[in-house]
Amino acid sequence: MPHSTQAQYEQTPATDDTTMFIFGAGGDLVKRLLIPSLYNLDRDRLIAPEMRIVGIDLAEHDDESFRRHLKDFIADKAADNHSESRGGSLDESHWRDFEKRLHYRQGDFTDDAIYRQIEDVIASSGSDNALFYCATSSRFFSDIARKLDGAGLLEERNGQYRRLVVEKPFGHDLESAQTLNADLLEVMKEEQIYRIDHFLGKETVQNILVARFANVLFEPFWNNHYIDHIQITAAETVGVEERAAFYDKAGAMRDMVPNHLFQLLAMVAIEPPAAFGADSLRSEKSKVLGAIRPWTTEEAAHHSARGRYEKGTLDDRQVPGYLDENGVDADSQTETFVAMKVMVDNWRWVGVPFYLRTGKRMSARDTEIAICFKPAPYAQFRNTDVERMASNWLIIQIQPNEGMWFDFQAKRPGPELEMDTVKMGFAYKDFFDLPAVTGYETLIYDCLTGDQMLFQRADTIENGWRAVQPFLDAWARQPEAGESGIEGYAAGTDGPAGAHELIQRDGRTWHKVGEATGPGVAPVPGKR
């Protein structure tokens, strides 16, 4: 019987009264994730009854048309069985109450007039608290921050707050990330900046910390004496869809690695923080990313592989290749898949490779951390029919089937000594009665309550880009040498041959994308 979480929500205090301003309110992120998340927080009584939500964009809306536009989209998504937003169904009566919070102001982010309107809204609200959410292209982040500062809207007084939330991508290389950090820190304090990464809102990601530090079982074995290597995978079945304008400039590396995958790496690899708080945790994460070995450009080229999906079959349907997608440049040199090897050079992890991969149009949707332990000594079994010792694996699946599973060896029934791999673990959906969520609820709630634990600090951002920069530099040289460096892979497969060669050079293989995990799944002998 799943454990109910309703009592937990009832005991969680509501946020303080505030006004939340969303720049870029006409974008897909707002209607697909932000508004459904706020709707869910309101459903669970976790935001103040007086809280106001004000959308800002160039589109022509008034309050009523803005509300109707959001409702129609959310209702359609809730009825779509294939939607991955997990926002849940739309309750008409609850929406009628919730939509009273929603307001709209038409304006240009670069025009002083909209900031005077913001000042008027705050002045008439009864609370000086304000949260500014940049759901815009990253090129507007600095401009919005400067305009807010110029209008005096970032000044905190009488114990009330002014906070700014910025979405990824936070820069497109090390230099641009450093510039953006400098721009923001010129007009506000680090404590006012919330650099958001929605992966950190997922329950399974947060559970990595609890699993490691609340259970004495794991910590003695969480080091290079027992762990052979770690794989981090973020595989998607979707293509570029409507994001071609952004994605063709970013690619798989910039879109996923310095934020999502490095955040997962940091969660796995950090030292135990002195306290379970924002400052201690973020300091340890920054140390991990700062300890990633800086490859030369030649080493980076050797320790990476890039790919681009071509036409193929996925879920029994034909899908086009990346270069045939709407909005993609026919001469594009953008990768849709990247695999890479990094080393974390500290005492705990020296000698343990971390293999990262992410790609679109792969065989299954699967975000997971696969930890491979060193095999037990073979000596005790040398005079038996056992030919080799298999490794134990700990699989932490972030999506879609959130949970943790441990693979270990057991004797098969029968007179001969034969071993097989069996699984032990749990799926969140089988153990907890989880409400329908988007993944942003926790992060928005933390923004409103001032908890920065799950948000990136300036030094963490820059350390991540510092580790990625050699790969970007190596790839930039390839066209100059008359090489594309991008391999094709058929949609519905697990990436290009170069990715498999990358890990096979070290005598290892990738954990299979989308492999069934959890209770009731029969093991496959020798699959590891």
Side-chain angles (χ1 to χ4, degrees), residues 473-519:
D473 292 342
W475 298 346
R477 293 182 180 182
Q478 289 173 329
E480 297 173 4
E483 306 170 0
S484 74
I486 304 177
E487 298 178 76
Y489 64 95
T493 62
D494 290 341
H500 299 282
E501 294 168 4
L502 167 69
I503 196 170
Q504 287 169 0
R505 286 197 294 266
D506 295 339
R508 302 179 174 99
T509 58
W510 290 108
H511 185 259
K512 183 167 177 57
V513 172
E515 181 180 73
T517 51

Side-chain angles (χ1 to χ4, degrees), residues 97-268:
D97 289 334
F98 172 74
E99 71 175 1
K100 296 173 184 176
R101 300 177 180 275
L102 301 176
H103 306 276
Y104 188 81
R105 295 292 184 274
Q106 183 182 3
D108 186 337
F109 311 146
T110 62
D111 187 350
D112 290 339
I114 194 63
Y115 297 90
R116 290 193 292 271
Q117 291 188 50
I118 291 173
E119 186 176 17
D120 292 341
V121 170
I122 295 174
S124 63
S125 69
S127 170
D128 207 36
N129 291 328
L131 178 71
F132 304 104
Y133 199 115
C134 293
T136 67
S137 169
S138 59
R139 71 179 186 272
F140 292 112
F141 293 169
S142 294
D143 290 338
I144 290 172
R146 291 193 190 100
K147 289 291 186 180
L148 289 169
D149 177 60
L153 292 168
L154 294 176
E155 183 180 348
E156 297 180 315
R157 55 175 88 86
N158 301 323
Q160 295 190 302
Y161 65 76
R162 300 292 170 91
R163 298 170 185 151
L164 181 74
V165 184
V166 290
E167 280 279 348
K168 76 171 186 71
F170 198 90
H172 55 84
D173 57 14
L174 176 58
E175 183 180 1
S176 61
Q178 290 172 326
T179 299
L180 181 51
N181 274 329
D183 288 346
L184 298 185
L185 290 169
E186 183 180 352
V187 298
M188 69 188 86
K189 299 174 291 186
E190 178 66 43
E191 293 75 18
Q192 293 177 274
I193 306 170
Y194 289 71
R195 302 172 187 84
I196 199 165
D197 184 342
H198 72 266
F199 260 44
L200 296 184
K202 297 181 182 298
E203 291 289 348
T204 321
V205 175
Q206 298 172 56
N207 193 52
I208 296 171
L209 299 177
V210 176
R212 280 194 60 189
F213 303 132
N215 297 291
V216 71
L217 169 69
F218 290 113
E219 187 59 25
F221 307 102
W222 211 265
N223 54 59
N224 55 7
H225 297 296
Y226 297 97
I227 292 177
D228 177 76
H229 72 281
I230 295 175
Q231 301 179 20
I232 301 176
T233 296
E236 299 177 280
T237 56
V238 296
V240 69
E241 297 183 309
E242 294 87 15
R243 301 178 69 217
F246 161 76
Y247 195 89
D248 204 39
K249 294 182 176 65
M253 172 67 92
R254 290 183 172 91
D255 188 37
M256 294 292 290
V257 176
N259 36 70
H260 297 337
L261 295 195
F262 274 8
Q263 284 300 301
L264 296 180
L265 185 155
M267 287 289 213
V268 169

Side-chain angles (χ1 to χ4, degrees), residues 300-317:
H302 179 70
H303 293 309
S304 64
R306 289 193 294 163
R308 181 167 56 216
Y309 67 83
E310 298 175 344
K311 66 179 181 179
T313 303
L314 193 61
D315 294 331
D316 298 324
R317 61 188 176 94

Side-chain angles (χ1 to χ4, degrees), residues 35-57:
I35 295 300
S37 298
L38 288 160
Y39 169 89
N40 291 339
L41 288 171
D42 184 58
R43 173 198 64 196
D44 296 324
R45 299 185 178 88
L46 293 179
I47 54 178
E50 306 84 3
M51 179 177 169
R52 296 148 304 282
I53 302 162
V54 182
I56 300 170
D57 214 324

Side-chain angles (χ1 to χ4, degrees), residues 292-488:
I292 293 177
R293 184 181 302 173
W295 298 125
T296 65
T297 51
E298 291 76 15
E299 290 171 329
H302 179 70
H303 293 309
S304 64
R306 289 193 294 163
R308 181 167 56 216
Y309 67 83
E310 298 175 344
K311 66 179 181 179
T313 303
L314 193 61
D315 294 331
D316 298 324
R317 61 188 176 94
Q318 288 290 316
V319 295
Y322 179 73
L323 294 180
D324 296 322
E325 299 277 19
N326 291 331
V328 173
D329 188 338
D331 298 321
S332 174
Q333 293 299 306
T334 299
E335 78 283 349
T336 64
F337 176 99
V338 61
M340 56 196 293
K341 172 184 173 181
V342 299
M343 306 294 292
V344 178
D345 287 338
N346 59 22
W347 278 27
R348 182 184 291 265
W349 297 112
V350 66
V352 177
F354 289 74
Y355 300 98
L356 283 60
R357 62 176 169 169
T358 181
K360 291 187 175 296
R361 290 292 191 213
M362 294 179 68
S363 61
R365 178 174 176 246
D366 183 15
T367 301
E368 68 172 29
I369 301 165
I371 301 169
C372 180
F373 291 86
K374 294 178 179 179
Y378 177 71
Q380 295 88 337
F381 301 94
R382 61 180 176 271
N383 296 321
T384 72
D385 291 335
V386 176
E387 296 180 0
R388 62 181 178 84
M389 299 300 294
S391 296
N392 302 126
W393 289 76
L394 177 64
I395 310 299
I396 304 170
Q397 194 165 54
I398 311 302
Q399 60 184 17
N401 187 26
E402 297 95 333
M404 298 177 68
W405 289 271
F406 185 68
D407 289 3
F408 63 98
Q409 301 305 303
K411 180 186 176 299
R412 285 183 179 178
E416 302 295 330
L417 180 58
E418 297 182 17
M419 295 185 187
D420 210 342
T421 299
V422 296
K423 299 178 184 293
M424 176 175 64
F426 81 98
Y428 266 81
K429 64 181 177 60
D430 295 335
F431 200 78
F432 296 106
D433 182 16
L434 296 174
V437 295
T438 68
Y440 266 79
E441 288 83 358
T442 296
L443 298 175
I444 293 175
Y445 180 81
D446 287 349
C447 290
L448 293 167
T449 58
D451 186 348
Q452 291 187 302
M453 182 184 295
L454 298 178
F455 298 85
Q456 299 197 65
R457 209 166 57 187
D459 54 343
T460 310
I461 290 279
E462 293 176 17
N463 283 343
W465 278 113
R466 193 169 287 112
V468 161
Q469 194 62 50
F471 296 94
L472 298 177
D473 292 342
W475 298 346
R477 293 182 180 182
Q478 289 173 329
E480 297 173 4
E483 306 170 0
S484 74
I486 304 177
E487 298 178 76

